[in-house]
Structure formats: C-alpha cells, structure tokens
Amino acid sequence: MIDEYKTFKVESSNEHNFNIYTGRDKDKHFIYTPYISFFNFDNLKDAEKMCNSLNKIADKYHNE
C-alpha cells in the first residue's frame, strides 16, 4: 500500500494554477510558498513533471 503522505500529487486549480500536495484527498497538506499555495504552469503536463521531480527528491530522502 502506498503511504499517501510520502508522495506528492498535483491538482488543477484553474487553467494555469496547480496545487501540489501530499496526503489523502480528505486530508491534504499543500506545499506553501511564502505568500501563495499554488504554482503557475502552462499546462498539467508541466505541473506533473514538477510533481515527479519532488517525488524523486522525497524518495531519495526516505531511502537514506
């Protein structure tokens, strides 16, 4: 079973804003910048690429 709190997921907020979070759908923990909790991307593919990069970093941390 996948630990929902050890993986990042992305959801579309609107056309160019995507929220990146960890946790379950009912208990989301968003990544916050100092002022905003969303990232601007041109499309969902770019947002998913960022999310995959974050998961690679998290995997490395959890495997050490």
Side-chain angles (χ1 to χ4, degrees):
M1 185 172 138
I2 295 174
D3 185 345
E4 295 288 329
Y5 292 93
K6 290 186 179 178
T7 58
F8 294 97
K9 294 167 277 301
V10 62
E11 67 181 11
S12 179
S13 176
N14 59 40
E15 186 179 353
H16 295 289
N17 295 328
F18 300 90
N19 298 320
I20 295 178
Y21 67 95
T22 188
R24 298 185 184 96
D25 283 340
K26 64 182 185 224
D27 186 26
K28 296 177 182 177
H29 298 272
F30 292 98
I31 294 178
Y32 287 95
T33 62
Y35 302 103
I36 54 176
S37 64
F38 59 85
F39 296 84
N40 292 320
F41 296 97
D42 290 332
N43 54 59
L44 182 59
K45 183 179 177 182
D46 289 344
E48 287 174 338
K49 184 177 175 183
M50 170 70 162
C51 201
N52 289 336
S53 295
L54 289 169
N55 278 319
K56 286 180 185 177
I57 293 167
D59 287 344
K60 182 179 177 184
Y61 172 78
H62 290 297
N63 289 329
E64 288 183 353

